[in-house]
Amino acid sequence: MPLIPRTFGRLIEGLNRPRHAIPQARRSNPDAVVDCAVYHNGIRRPGPVHYADAARRAHRQRDAFVWLGLHEPDEATMAAIARVFGLHELTAEQAANAGHRPAAETLGDVTRLVLRTARYVEHQELTATSEVVDTGDVTVLIGPRFVITVRHGAAGALKPVREELEQRPALLAQGPWAVAYAVCSRMVDLYLDVAGHVEHDLEALEEVAFSASKPPDIAHIYQLKREMVEFKRAVIPLQEPLQRLLDRGVVPEGLQPYLVDLRGRLARAVDRVAGFDDLLNSILQARLAQVSVDQNNDMRKIASWAAIAAVQTAIAGVYGMNFEFMPELGWRYGYLGAVLLMATAAVLLHRRLKKAGWL
């Protein structure tokens, strides 16, 4: 008889005990999911869907895949997503962290593509602390039936990419790689847009570089150069991963012409960024040379006035020796003559130095 109440007690205790999945869900970041949808033959299936349900639906339908968009997920969220989509733990850990270089790596049947994002920061004038280019990164994980985009930073929002791609069902029907191409295309378009704004900044800087009224401070040029270094790190390293994707043949044949066109647009962006770097170096060298010339002119002016003052000092020093026998000591107009001599010497020396370009 005592066994029955004890059994009921254990049953009630087990019902009241929290499960292990609940605290794990609390540690994750569900707000990191920006959008999740199932696409079949290039058409988005209606209705909101959880990524786990979306993965099951994509596996049940032929020519269907999941596009899961994330923004700054934590490691717990990425670990849960990795279990659903069968991602390697290192791939999930790398996607959860920011600051990676552009790269293209394949692990099993999943390709990890990393791109840097960029956006132009509006500013009234260039200062020693102005932020000109804001960068982040996007990781694209491409699998047979899914594509996961993980964005870090404020730059490079992917909502316009999804909206535009959904208007092109023929391209979207190419599968997950169509999303990868659209994301890459969006990033390259952003590079070209940022390059256009930066070009205007450089033109304005070049105009005032030799301005006599208010030339730019060297610290301002260095700040823009630092921003260009950050921009260059986002644009130039993408060439190698993009070429690697074309060489390996992992991209579907129908998308290869799009990637070739993308490679050409990226080359234009790289050329413009390299040109900006050369122009900035030229402006910096010219400004340093101008500062040197200004310092030279200042030193010549200082030396000229010092020479004029030295003549007065020499004459006053001679007559201040207090010797008994000196010329003109007993002359009535001796003081006036000495002052006149100093003034005449100063005027003659000033005219001579001004004619020589020292004053």
Side-chain angles (χ1 to χ4, degrees):
M1 292 298 295
L3 292 176
I4 296 176
R6 188 180 306 167
T7 303
F8 277 111
R10 288 178 180 174
L11 179 61
I12 294 172
E13 182 182 357
L15 291 174
N16 291 331
R17 186 183 301 125
R19 298 184 179 181
H20 296 289
I22 294 176
Q24 185 173 359
R26 287 176 182 172
R27 287 197 300 269
S28 64
N29 181 19
D31 295 335
V33 178
V34 178
D35 199 356
C36 180
V38 177
Y39 295 89
H40 183 239
N41 291 328
I43 305 298
R44 176 171 180 157
R45 299 292 92 187
V49 61
H50 190 269
Y51 60 82
D53 298 331
R56 286 191 291 268
R57 288 172 58 180
H59 278 285
R60 285 198 300 265
Q61 290 181 315
R62 187 178 179 182
D63 297 329
F65 70 93
V66 182
W67 181 358
L68 174 60
L70 304 171
H71 181 232
E72 297 183 353
D74 54 20
E75 292 187 1
T77 302
M78 281 307 304
I81 292 171
R83 287 193 294 270
V84 172
F85 291 95
L87 302 176
H88 193 277
E89 59 179 352
L90 290 178
T91 302
E93 182 180 349
Q94 290 170 345
N97 297 321
H100 297 287
R101 267 179 66 92
E105 303 168 350
T106 301
L107 186 60
D109 57 356
V110 176
T111 299
R112 172 177 168 264
L113 179 63
V114 181
L115 307 98
R116 298 289 295 176
T117 62
R119 71 182 178 95
Y120 179 77
V121 180
E122 297 288 346
H123 51 276
Q124 294 294 330
E125 61 178 3
L126 186 66
T127 65
T129 57
S130 294
E131 186 179 12
V132 180
V133 180
D134 181 26
T135 60
D137 63 79
V138 171
T139 299
V140 186
L141 304 175
I142 308 109
R145 293 294 186 93
F146 65 86
V147 57
I148 302 173
T149 54
V150 185
R151 181 169 62 93
H152 292 274
L158 298 180
K159 184 179 179 181
V161 178
R162 189 184 289 264
E163 292 175 351
E164 182 181 351
L165 199 54
E166 288 176 355
Q167 301 300 319
R168 304 173 65 184
L171 179 61
L172 195 54
Q174 297 285 338
W177 278 103
V179 177
Y181 157 73
V183 173
C184 291
S185 180
R186 171 68 174 171
M187 295 304 111
V188 173
D189 288 342
L190 289 176
Y191 298 158
L192 293 171
D193 180 66
V194 172
H197 286 90
V198 170
E199 188 172 8
H200 293 153
D201 283 347
L202 284 173
E203 289 174 355
L205 185 64
E206 191 177 15
E207 286 179 4
V208 300
F210 299 99
S211 173
S213 57
K214 189 182 177 183
D217 191 43
I218 292 180
H220 300 171
I221 303 176
Y222 270 116
Q223 174 63 19
L224 186 56
K225 189 170 178 59
R226 282 196 296 268
E227 293 293 306
M228 287 303 98
V229 168
E230 184 178 358
F231 187 34
K232 187 164 65 173
R233 287 174 181 170
V235 178
I236 294 179
L238 183 57
Q239 287 183 300
E240 182 185 352
L242 191 60
Q243 185 61 47
R244 194 181 304 157
L245 291 177
L246 285 169
D247 294 340
R248 287 181 181 176
V250 295
V251 181
E253 187 175 350
L255 289 174
Q256 288 186 4
Y258 293 96
L259 283 183
V260 172
D261 174 73
L262 180 64
R263 182 178 58 184
R265 285 189 286 137
L266 178 61
R268 290 200 299 272
V270 169
D271 290 342
R272 295 184 71 177
V273 172
F276 295 159
D277 198 37
D278 293 340
L279 181 58
L280 262 176
N281 286 333
S282 300
I283 294 174
L284 181 60
Q285 293 300 325
R287 184 68 188 117
L288 288 173
Q290 188 181 19
V291 169
S292 260
V293 170
D294 292 342
Q295 289 176 345
N296 240 354
N297 292 334
D298 292 341
M299 289 300 297
R300 290 165 71 175
K301 289 178 181 179
I302 293 171
S304 298
W305 288 112
I308 293 173
V311 174
Q312 325 304 316
T313 305
I315 296 173
V318 169
Y319 281 92
M321 291 180 182
N322 294 324
F323 291 136
E324 185 177 354
F325 301 103
M326 287 187 69
E328 313 303 340
L329 285 180
W331 187 33
R332 182 178 177 181
Y333 301 104
Y335 174 75
L336 183 60
V339 171
L340 237 105
L341 177 62
M342 286 190 282
T344 304
V347 169
L348 291 175
L349 191 56
H350 181 274
R351 290 183 63 183
R352 177 62 180 163
L353 290 171
K354 191 169 185 180
K355 188 177 180 181
W358 282 52
L359 283 174

